[in-house]
């Protein structure tokens, strides 16, 4: 019998440490959380410009997500004994 996950099992997609201005001090994204659309050319071409463009696109997605996260949580004063939850770009963020 195959085991299945409960329908509401939480999943961690990213762990971020942001400074007061929203700049990333440290961060790790997991899975396809911020995966950009694949480049139009196949990887067999060895075209490094497409790979560089894809990497830049992923970095732009990350920077955009982090800026929007900071702008949304910037005015919220989290209690020291509790976590706050917000949704940004369809992703749930927990911070304290």
């Amino acid at each position: 019998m195959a085991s299945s996950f409960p329908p509401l099992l939480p999943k961690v997609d990213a762990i971020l440490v942001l400074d007061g201005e929203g700049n990333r001090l440290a961060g790790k994204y997991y899975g396809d959380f911020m995966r950009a659309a694949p480049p139009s050319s196949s990887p067999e071409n060895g075209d490094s410009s497409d790979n560089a463009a894809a990497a830049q696109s992923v970095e732009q997605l990350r920077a955009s997500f982090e800026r929007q996260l900071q702008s949304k949580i910037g005015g919220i004063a989290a209690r020291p004994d509790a976590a706050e939850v917000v949704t940004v770009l369809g992703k749930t963020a927990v911070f304290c």
Side-chain angles (χ1 to χ4, degrees), residues 18-23 64-75 88:
L18 304 177
D19 67 7
E21 297 175 358
N23 298 317
S64 173
F65 175 76
E66 291 163 7
R67 278 193 308 272
Q68 289 184 24
L69 178 63
Q70 176 60 28
S71 70
K72 195 159 194 176
I73 67 175
V88 178

Side-chain angles (χ1 to χ4, degrees), residues 68-93:
Q68 289 184 24
L69 178 63
Q70 176 60 28
S71 70
K72 195 159 194 176
I73 67 175
I76 300 174
R79 293 179 29 193
D81 62 342
E84 302 290 336
V85 180
V86 296
T87 301
V88 178
L89 296 176
K91 303 293 183 179
T92 303

Side-chain angles (χ1 to χ4, degrees), residues 1 5 8 12-14 16 21 23 25 27-28 32 37 46 50-51 56 59 64 70 73 79 84 88-90 96:
M1 184 169 167
F5 293 109
L8 297 176
V12 174
D13 292 317
L16 300 171
E21 297 175 358
N23 298 317
L25 300 176
K28 175 70 175 166
D32 60 354
D50 285 343
N51 291 339
Q56 183 178 10
E59 188 57 36
S64 173
Q70 176 60 28
I73 67 175
R79 293 179 29 193
E84 302 290 336
V88 178
L89 296 176
C96 43

Side-chain angles (χ1 to χ4, degrees), residues 19-58:
D19 67 7
E21 297 175 358
N23 298 317
R24 181 177 2 129
L25 300 176
K28 175 70 175 166
Y29 289 88
Y30 300 97
D32 60 354
F33 180 65
M34 286 284 139
R35 183 120 343 150
S40 59
S41 66
S42 64
E44 295 87 30
N45 289 351
D47 191 355
S48 62
S49 65
D50 285 343
N51 291 339
Q56 183 178 10
S57 177
V58 169

